[in-house]
Amino acid sequence: MFSFFARFLIKFSAKISRLINLIKVIPMAASLDRCGSKFRVVAHKTTITCPENIRIGSNFCSTGELYLYGNDGEINIGDNCLINNNVQIGSSGSKITIGNNVLIAPNVVIRAADHIYKDSKKLIVEQGHQGAQIVVEDDVWICSNCVITKGCNLGKGCVIAAGSVVTKSVKPYTLAGGVPAKEIRKRG
């Protein structure tokens, strides 16, 4: 009798857990400026600031902790995008556009602004930010542990190798990698 009751509780608690996760996602999607169909967040923690500045297309899936910072800027994510664990996307006074069919691996940072630090007589935190737009075109794969800095354009079909720091634009259908990232070869 006890084992039946224990199995029932385990099954029931798993269903309740899935329901709670669904309930958490619905308000998140509803708070965004635009959110397509089949919006899935399979994560324990997702942080979104200024959701009114964020638009997400259809078939979006985040499989881990996701941080979307739309403060003083704009984030547009296209259709069929898959974002993995511990990804941070911050517009901070600029714009980030991510195209369709984009894959973003774990531990990626996409940041459209840097702190201004020129005046040594002022605290860095008091000097503000300087931003520039980032565009990630369609069919791009950003591998694990990459940083994409302000002002970069990742061309259609490019691949950014693991551990890269992208400081300049990458041409379409190019494999780029390194610190700073450079063209390694063309795809195909």
Side-chain angles (χ1 to χ4, degrees):
M1 180 71 170
F2 176 76
S3 65
F4 169 77
F5 185 68
R7 283 195 308 262
F8 172 78
L9 279 178
I10 290 169
K11 279 186 174 180
F12 185 70
S13 67
K15 288 182 181 181
I16 291 294
S17 177
R18 280 192 294 258
L19 181 61
I20 288 170
N21 283 337
L22 179 63
I23 289 169
K24 287 179 188 174
V25 168
I26 291 171
M28 182 189 322
S31 70
L32 298 171
D33 181 53
R34 184 181 71 78
C35 184
S37 63
K38 297 184 182 176
F39 177 86
R40 293 183 303 143
V41 176
V42 188
H44 298 291
K45 181 179 178 187
T46 296
T47 302
I48 296 176
T49 62
C50 300
E52 66 277 6
N53 298 336
I54 300 170
R55 289 166 205 83
I56 297 177
S58 297
N59 298 320
F60 172 85
C61 183
S62 169
T63 62
E65 292 182 27
L66 172 63
Y67 304 89
L68 295 175
Y69 303 115
N71 41 320
D72 300 325
E74 189 177 317
I75 298 172
N76 295 304
I77 300 174
D79 297 333
N80 307 311
C81 290
L82 176 63
I83 298 179
N84 215 302
N85 188 45
N86 195 33
V87 172
Q88 298 182 29
I89 302 172
S91 59
S92 294
S94 196
K95 182 177 180 178
I96 297 174
T97 302
I98 297 174
N100 299 319
N101 305 299
V102 172
L103 302 172
I104 301 176
N107 307 314
V108 169
V109 175
I110 301 174
R111 184 99 164 102
D114 292 332
H115 287 278
I116 299 170
Y117 58 90
K118 304 259 186 238
D119 188 348
S120 62
K121 292 178 175 68
K122 282 177 124 179
L123 296 172
I124 294 170
V125 73
E126 295 174 350
Q127 296 184 51
H129 293 92
Q130 182 177 26
Q133 181 172 327
I134 294 174
V135 176
V136 178
E137 295 183 11
D138 296 345
D139 188 34
V140 169
W141 176 24
I142 303 172
C143 297
S144 298
N145 304 307
C146 289
V147 177
I148 313 300
T149 62
K150 65 181 175 119
C152 292
N153 183 50
L154 304 184
K156 183 176 181 174
C158 76
V159 175
I160 307 302
S164 298
V165 177
V166 180
T167 59
K168 295 181 179 161
S169 294
V170 176
K171 294 177 185 169
Y173 301 103
T174 298
L175 170 62
V179 179
K182 294 181 170 70
E183 182 177 325
I184 296 171
R185 63 179 163 86
K186 292 287 186 188
R187 273 184 61 198

